Amino acid sequence: MKGQMHCKVRGEDIFHERDNKIQKKPNCGLSEMSSESHGQTLQRCPSSEIVAEHKICEYPSVIQPKAVIDQRLLKGSVCAFCRSPKTTEKTGPFLYYANGREVGNFTSLSKVICVHSKCIEWTPQVYYEGDIIKNLDTELSRAAKLKCSSCDLKGAALGCYVRSCRRSYHVPCAFEIQDCRWDMDNYVMLCPIHRSVKFPGEKSKSRKHVRREVHPETSHPTTVQLSFWARSSYGPKEWVLCGSALSSVEKYMLVKFANMCGATVCKFWKPNVTHVVTTTDEKGACTRTMKVLMAILSGKWILTMDWVKACVAANGPVDEELYEISLDNYGSFGGPKAGRLRASANAPKLFDGFKFYLSGDFMPAYKSDLLDLVEKAGGTIIQSKEELVKQNYGAQQIRPPLVVYNCDPPQDCMFEESNILQQRLAEAEDLAKQIGCQAVQHTWILESISACELVPFC
């Protein structure tokens, strides 16, 4: 959900990739991260990962679209919504779904739906419950009956915010129309004819402004209201909150809290995030997500929703340490606090001095996130097998590189699962033996980051 922007619109804010939930689960020979958010609206798409800074803009980017180079695309991929085989910054990458779940781009599945990430993001009724996508089929059926007001082809899922307006667009087509206006908080768009209509956020601001003029005596905050700011060493206005694996009710609560105290709520992980707020299970464990792992590596607060409730009840900032997460859903303990202490002490990064080569079949999006985590943790990426083999890893090497292989069981391959896992291990070990280094499961990366310490190799 994006926010109030006028002239300074940055492409990375609007075309940022989805966040991903990192967990072990099957995927037909490819490792997978369950999607935590593709950017749905707080009201219409309840599984979004919270809004980014409120942005209402004339059109979503001032940069020209350029082709996204991705050599891993399935040949013949065409978006089921806009029917385009191309990927640009304004379409986002291709995503592949089967039986309600994201899958790898492979041909063995007969009913794979291919869509651009941005086409899904702006489709009104599509949302996520955990890693299950909802309403994709019904929205495709609806869009199939609607012609785009720009290119006159069917598949136009995005309509104008004005209910009486009959105009519908493919998302990439609408992005090209500079007279469209966009509410990035609520994922709604105004066509050029209705661009003067106010979005919900603009209407509420206008009403507040009128009340302040009519009743100037009530325009000054009370002592109780000001106390919320006074009790913080640097002020809630400096907070950048990011929700992780929250329910729709919790997301609403987080946004309402941010509006109350003046903090910023960010949908995606960004380096300036100060607090990741996450849900917990009955054991007090949080879900291991990309946001949580990035926050550990960055030394940021990772808190339960009880912290938000406590701040609201106290009408002021409450000590974060009382609500800091200590456990994740895979049993890793103490990572958030250890990450904060490591960062505050300016200690070397977790993977400082390590080199990594990812071997074999990983789902592209998952592999990309793993590499991002390794780099954030200070590790060095070896890009190709040729680069790995040609380097000299003799006795003078303090740490030989790690050959990382995918240990997640394959999906829809029940009879071949054991063979595939054994083959991956054998290939990684053969390669490691050639150059005198260690083969490790990819979960070693996740477990080490979750605990913020180097765990034994697995």
Side-chain angles (χ1 to χ4, degrees):
M1 312 186 181
K2 320 210 181 236
Q4 181 111 21
M5 76 179 139
H6 301 286
C7 334
K8 50 178 190 180
V9 181
R10 297 177 311 192
E12 63 268 24
D13 288 333
I14 291 110
F15 302 113
H16 198 294
E17 294 300 327
R18 62 184 174 87
D19 177 49
N20 293 285
K21 184 180 291 182
I22 298 182
Q23 58 186 28
K24 289 183 256 183
K25 61 192 183 72
N27 57 45
C28 206
L30 297 173
S31 180
E32 181 175 346
M33 288 183 183
S34 68
S35 70
E36 181 182 14
S37 70
H38 279 44
Q40 282 72 24
T41 69
L42 189 61
Q43 291 80 18
R44 296 188 308 164
C45 301
S47 68
S48 75
E49 271 313 303
I50 308 303
V51 298
E53 307 155 53
H54 184 71
K55 301 172 187 171
I56 296 173
C57 60
E58 300 302 316
Y59 50 96
S61 179
V62 296
I63 60 175
Q64 293 299 316
K66 56 185 179 181
V68 176
I69 300 174
D70 191 346
Q71 304 298 331
R72 302 161 296 198
L73 293 178
L74 177 64
K75 185 176 181 181
S77 294
V78 174
C79 178
F81 282 106
C82 70
R83 310 306 302 169
S84 172
K86 299 179 180 180
T87 57
T88 70
E89 290 184 71
K90 292 189 176 182
T91 67
F94 279 126
L95 304 174
Y96 301 86
Y97 294 89
N99 301 319
R101 295 177 182 270
E102 185 175 352
V103 296
N105 51 352
F106 37 97
T107 57
S108 60
L109 296 180
S110 58
K111 295 183 179 179
V112 175
I113 298 173
C114 172
V115 289
H116 290 125
S117 63
K118 295 302 169 185
C119 290
I120 275 196
E121 190 171 293
W122 285 85
T123 296
Q125 300 303 323
V126 173
Y127 66 96
Y128 290 80
E129 289 183 359
D131 60 351
I132 305 297
I133 191 167
K134 297 291 186 178
N135 296 337
L136 178 57
D137 290 333
T138 55
E139 283 294 85
L140 283 171
S141 298
R142 181 182 67 85
K145 304 171 185 176
L146 301 174
K147 284 188 176 182
C148 177
S149 300
S150 177
C151 70
D152 206 36
L153 298 177
K154 291 184 177 180
L158 178 62
C160 177
Y161 172 65
V162 176
R163 290 192 176 185
S164 60
C165 181
R166 308 287 292 178
R167 291 170 181 80
S168 293
Y169 299 90
H170 299 124
V171 173
C173 290
F175 281 166
E176 295 296 333
I177 302 173
Q178 294 193 6
D179 286 336
C180 288
R181 281 209 314 133
W182 305 79
D183 183 342
M184 299 300 190
D185 259 1
N186 298 299
Y187 279 99
V188 291
M189 178 271 302
L190 287 166
C191 74
I193 302 299
H194 297 110
R195 59 178 284 114
S196 61
V197 174
K198 290 185 177 180
F199 288 120
E202 295 173 314
K203 291 177 183 178
S204 62
K205 288 180 182 179
S206 176
R207 286 196 294 270
K208 290 177 183 177
H209 180 68
V210 170
R211 283 199 294 270
R212 283 196 295 268
E213 291 182 342
V214 175
H215 305 287
E217 68 277 7
T218 65
S219 62
H220 299 290
T222 66
T223 303
V224 174
Q225 290 171 325
L226 285 173
S227 68
F228 188 94
W229 315 92
R231 279 179 264 162
S232 175
S233 59
Y234 59 99
K237 285 186 177 180
E238 302 297 322
W239 291 347
V240 180
L241 311 178
C242 188
S244 174
L246 301 180
S247 69
S248 57
V249 173
E250 290 169 329
K251 293 167 190 172
Y252 175 77
M253 185 184 302
L254 183 62
V255 174
K256 188 174 181 180
F257 169 64
N259 290 337
M260 177 194 304
C261 69
T264 297
V265 182
C266 186
K267 175 182 173 183
F268 302 106
W269 168 260
K270 294 182 181 179
N272 66 337
V273 167
T274 59
H275 299 69
V276 169
V277 181
T278 181
T279 192
T280 54
D281 62 18
E282 64 279 1
K283 297 178 181 178
C286 73
T287 301
R288 183 182 293 175
T289 68
M290 186 74 170
K291 293 174 181 177
V292 167
L293 295 179
M294 280 295 201
I296 290 174
L297 293 174
S298 303
K300 304 302 177 68
W301 287 109
I302 305 173
L303 308 174
T304 69
M305 273 300 297
D306 288 339
W307 174 73
V308 172
K309 297 173 185 177
C311 287
V312 172
N315 195 37
V318 174
D319 184 7
E320 290 97 335
E321 195 164 1
L322 299 173
Y323 301 91
E324 187 168 32
I325 292 289
S326 60
L327 181 69
D328 78 8
N329 59 332
Y330 289 102
S332 290
F333 184 83
K337 183 174 182 178
R340 283 194 305 104
L341 296 178
R342 178 186 287 267
S344 63
N346 200 26
K349 292 187 175 182
L350 184 64
F351 293 157
D352 187 39
F354 282 87
K355 295 183 179 181
F356 297 81
Y357 172 72
L358 269 60
S359 167
D361 50 356
F362 286 89
M363 186 175 179
Y366 191 94
K367 182 176 181 178
S368 176
D369 285 331
L370 281 177
L371 296 178
D372 286 345
L373 288 169
V374 166
E375 290 183 336
K376 182 65 179 177
T380 300
I381 304 299
I382 298 175
Q383 299 292 346
S384 67
K385 185 184 295 186
E386 291 74 22
E387 180 184 349
L388 178 69
V389 172
K390 75 180 181 181
Q391 293 190 32
N392 179 19
Y393 300 109
Q396 75 277 10
Q397 288 284 328
I398 299 176
R399 287 196 183 102
L402 299 177
V403 176
V404 182
Y405 68 95
N406 180 7
C407 66
D408 278 345
Q411 180 183 1
D412 297 334
C413 305
M414 295 178 59
F415 301 106
E416 301 177 19
E417 176 179 316
S418 177
N419 290 339
I420 291 175
L421 293 177
Q422 289 177 8
Q423 181 181 356
R424 292 176 185 168
L425 172 60
E427 290 176 353
E429 288 183 336
D430 287 345
L431 182 57
K433 187 176 181 180
Q434 289 179 37
I435 58 178
C437 64
Q438 176 79 40
V440 299
Q441 298 176 0
H442 78 280
T443 51
W444 180 83
I445 295 174
L446 306 181
E447 296 295 334
S448 294
I449 295 174
S450 296
C452 200
E453 64 178 6
L454 300 177
V455 300
F457 289 133
C458 52

